[in-house]
Amino acid sequence: MPSRELPYPLFDADNHLYETEEALTKYLPEKYKGTIKYVQVDGRTKIAVRGHISEYIPNPTFEVVARPGAMEDYFRVGNPEGKSRREIFGKPMKSIPAFREPAPRLELMDELGISQTLMFPTLASLIEERMRDDPDMIHAVIHALNEWLLETWSFNYKDRIFTTPVISLPIVEKAIEELDWAVANGARAILVRPAPVPGYRHSRSFGLPEFDPFWERVVHHGVLVALHSSDSGYSRYVADWQGVDQEMLPFVPNAFRQVFEWRPIQDAVAALACHGALSRHPDLKIAVIENGSVWVGPLLDQLASIYKKMPDAFSEDPVVAVKRCIHISPFWEDDMGKLAELIGVERVLFGSDYPHPEGLADPITYVDELAGLSEEHKALIMGGNLARLISA
């Protein structure tokens, strides 16, 4: 049960589902059968992508998972005792139906006091980076996942659970086709990876004019674009410094990686501003999810400085563009008041990351971090802002 009731509805910008083993394979075209496999390694089930075993998700079956909010103390007070990651996670639990299916999840939402939520897949974040040299494969695997999401969760479950289909951008025409299909099947929000877009010759920014037809279609449909934290490929830059070329391992502590942990989202938002997408498509609605907010101030300061020196490089003030189009769901431990001052309280979104261990065990306690804000502003952050974005 929630720790209390609030006088306004809660719209959580960041909930997650746990996929079953068929999520990435059931709808794969024959040509790509075998691209994703579940294999046994020393008695444990692992996921293999194109023949390479991935450790990105230590337990990709999600039969046993960390408890929701297991890392709250870690994020609240740090780790003064030097506990291991296993000690921080604590005793795991078996997955429950509410993590796998929408009907029991709705019952759990009622218990938690959550009225509506965006629902993100968990395994989706490993796909694109491991197939970056084959755009056609990316689109095929992403669509297979989306077919499973639609069948299992739907994209709009009783106007309360809005599951986000993934849209990958390597081939613009296919991205538009996927977007149209998702919207036709009820999608109100989509998930786009905050990363350079893979291509046959090289990667490139999704803020470039090449992608304008896609963003035009997004605006036409009025859907919300979620830039959720993912494997954005920045382990390549870690490798340049550390001399070890390995995949991103989010649950393996790495102090150097932590120093620039927010560079992918900072670069993604900068690309949308500097390459003009936010200005050419001023009605875009973009929500930055599970990427914190410590990067926001430095980015806005840098954009302001660049605009002062190079106004001819922009069609409008990039800070204005960012503040108009970008909405942010900060971590619960972030300074909410400071963020509201930077971008406006109407751009701040509550997100609990439930049921992930990094999130909150009791999502409603997010409101405790809004001390000092008015009840009106709390109501906006805890649900009103996202409700406006989804319904508009």
Side-chain angles (χ1 to χ4, degrees):
M1 295 294 292
S3 53
R4 86 294 308 263
E5 292 184 2
L6 298 179
Y8 38 78
L10 273 62
F11 196 151
D12 197 331
D14 189 20
N15 264 215
H16 286 269
L17 59 88
Y18 286 130
E19 296 92 331
T20 62
E21 289 188 31
E22 66 176 9
L24 297 175
T25 60
K26 183 176 181 178
Y27 288 102
L28 267 182
E30 191 63 34
K31 178 181 179 180
Y32 295 106
K33 293 291 185 184
T35 299
I36 306 289
K37 291 182 178 179
Y38 286 82
V39 298
Q40 296 297 311
V41 178
D42 297 329
R44 301 191 65 181
T45 302
K46 297 292 182 180
I47 191 169
V49 182
R50 304 172 74 184
H52 295 278
I53 295 171
S54 172
E55 294 290 344
Y56 179 73
I57 302 291
N59 179 17
T61 67
F62 302 116
E63 294 295 334
V64 176
V65 296
R67 293 182 179 277
M71 299 179 73
E72 277 192 49
D73 284 344
Y74 172 80
F75 288 111
R76 192 178 300 279
V77 301
N79 187 18
E81 298 176 2
K83 293 181 179 179
S84 68
R85 190 53 57 111
R86 184 177 293 276
E87 290 173 320
I88 291 170
F89 280 147
K91 185 178 179 180
M93 63 178 287
K94 289 186 177 180
S95 270
I96 58 177
F99 297 169
R100 304 282 204 174
E101 306 166 37
R105 183 55 163 264
L106 209 56
E107 295 178 4
L108 179 57
M109 286 168 58
D110 289 338
E111 294 176 11
L112 294 172
I114 299 174
S115 300
Q116 296 172 291
T117 188
L118 297 184
M119 188 68 65
F120 294 98
T122 297
L123 276 178
S125 58
L126 68 75
I127 296 173
E128 294 178 75
E129 184 58 27
R130 286 151 189 79
M131 303 176 185
R132 61 192 307 268
D133 62 324
D134 193 334
D136 282 293
M137 179 183 290
I138 291 175
H139 283 285
V141 176
I142 289 293
H143 183 67
L145 171 62
N146 287 340
E147 288 269 22
W148 179 85
L149 288 172
L150 177 62
E151 176 186 64
T152 308
W153 284 82
S154 86
F155 298 147
N156 180 350
Y157 189 76
K158 298 188 176 181
D159 280 332
R160 293 189 61 190
I161 298 176
F162 300 97
T163 299
T164 59
V166 184
I167 306 294
S168 189
L169 304 177
I171 302 171
V172 177
E173 295 77 13
K174 290 191 175 184
I176 294 172
E177 181 181 347
E178 191 77 11
L179 173 65
D180 288 344
W181 172 84
V183 172
N185 282 284
R188 304 279 286 278
I190 60 173
L191 172 58
V192 174
R193 184 176 71 132
V197 179
Y200 288 110
R201 291 178 298 170
H202 48 69
S203 60
R204 65 274 198 217
S205 161
F206 51 23
L208 293 171
E210 171 188 350
F211 296 96
D212 280 355
F214 173 76
W215 297 123
E216 288 172 5
R217 201 68 175 165
V218 167
V219 171
H220 168 77
H221 288 307
V223 294
L224 177 66
V225 178
L227 300 180
H228 192 287
S229 62
S230 181
D231 182 352
S232 294
Y234 277 53
S235 60
R236 294 190 297 278
Y237 309 126
V238 175
D240 283 345
W241 286 99
Q242 297 191 159
V244 178
D245 188 8
Q246 63 183 22
E247 69 174 344
M248 178 185 178
L249 301 174
F251 299 106
V252 177
N254 183 311
F256 181 73
R257 188 185 73 226
Q258 290 292 111
V259 170
F260 65 97
E261 187 173 7
W262 314 123
R263 281 306 301 266
I265 191 59
Q266 182 173 331
D267 292 350
V269 174
L272 289 169
C274 293
H275 296 150
L278 300 183
S279 299
R280 294 191 300 273
H281 311 283
D283 292 327
L284 274 173
K285 301 180 297 182
I286 297 175
V288 173
I289 311 292
E290 202 179 328
N291 280 283
S293 63
V294 296
W295 53 274
V296 178
L299 175 60
L300 294 181
D301 288 344
Q302 193 168 20
L303 288 175
S305 176
I306 295 170
Y307 182 62
K308 179 180 178 181
K309 300 167 186 172
M310 302 173 58
D312 56 320
F314 301 88
S315 62
E316 67 172 328
D317 185 337
V319 173
V320 171
V322 169
K323 289 185 177 181
R324 179 184 59 241
C325 298
I326 304 296
H327 307 73
I328 297 173
S329 175
F331 295 137
W332 58 266
E333 70 269 21
D334 288 347
D335 188 332
M336 309 288 184
K338 183 178 180 180
L339 179 62
E341 291 177 2
L342 280 173
I343 64 172
V345 71
E346 71 280 1
R347 299 287 186 267
V348 182
L349 309 175
F350 148 61
S352 70
D353 195 27
Y354 189 90
H356 284 175
E358 310 97 303
L360 293 169
D362 181 12
I364 206 169
T365 60
Y366 193 100
V367 76
D368 296 334
E369 309 305 321
L370 305 181
L373 297 180
S374 68
E375 289 302 306
E376 178 185 2
H377 287 173
K378 289 178 182 179
L380 288 176
I381 292 172
M382 295 299 291
N385 290 334
L386 185 52
R388 182 189 73 249
L389 292 172
I390 287 293
S391 62

